[in-house]
Amino acid sequence: MNIGSKNKKRQVLPSRPDPPTVDQILEDINGAAPNDPVFSILEQTGQDSPRPSDSEVESRFQQCRQYLELNERLQEVRGRLLKQREELRAAGEQLQTDVEEVRGQTL
């Protein structure tokens, strides 16, 4: 009998559980002890800070706006570059045709 034969039955895994609801998550967070490892990790990484100030929110908003504007400009430039590349390719083909025509006339 071949060790790698396909006679083995596949084990059927149970389906994934549904993700928790927001209420279940909040209940879990509110029921956690203050010394819960998640909170200590957040403190160590500095992610346990209070809500950001209005100036921090505004700063992040402006950064997001600038990112979106830059991304839009990059997409526009990309479109122009693709068009210019196609024009250069067509001009190169036409130049090659013209060179071949001139060669044919000089022979």
Side-chain angles (χ1 to χ4, degrees):
M1 177 176 263
N2 187 354
I3 294 176
S5 69
K6 295 189 178 194
N7 292 335
K8 295 180 183 179
K9 290 186 178 182
R10 288 193 105 168
Q11 181 181 12
V12 178
L13 298 175
S15 62
R16 288 184 183 204
D18 292 332
T21 65
V22 172
D23 290 335
Q24 290 171 327
I25 294 171
L26 290 175
E27 180 183 335
D28 188 42
I29 290 172
N30 291 331
N35 62 349
D36 189 284
V38 171
F39 297 125
S40 63
I41 290 171
L42 291 175
E43 287 174 3
Q44 292 171 5
T45 60
Q47 295 180 16
D48 192 30
S49 61
R51 291 182 179 253
S53 67
D54 288 344
S55 63
E56 289 173 323
V57 170
E58 180 63 25
S59 174
R60 289 180 187 167
F61 174 75
Q62 291 303 327
Q63 285 177 333
C64 290
R65 258 187 74 214
Q66 290 172 350
Y67 169 79
L68 291 173
E69 289 171 0
L70 180 59
N71 191 36
E72 186 177 319
R73 286 182 23 214
L74 287 172
Q75 292 299 326
E76 291 170 2
V77 168
R78 179 181 179 269
R80 285 197 310 254
L81 286 173
L82 289 173
K83 182 180 177 185
Q84 289 173 347
R85 183 183 72 177
E86 183 58 32
E87 290 171 354
L88 285 171
R89 188 196 58 75
E93 288 177 359
Q94 182 61 47
L95 180 60
Q96 187 65 31
T97 302
D98 293 346
V99 166
E100 294 297 325
E101 187 178 317
V102 168
R103 281 185 186 159
Q105 291 175 356
T106 59
L107 293 178

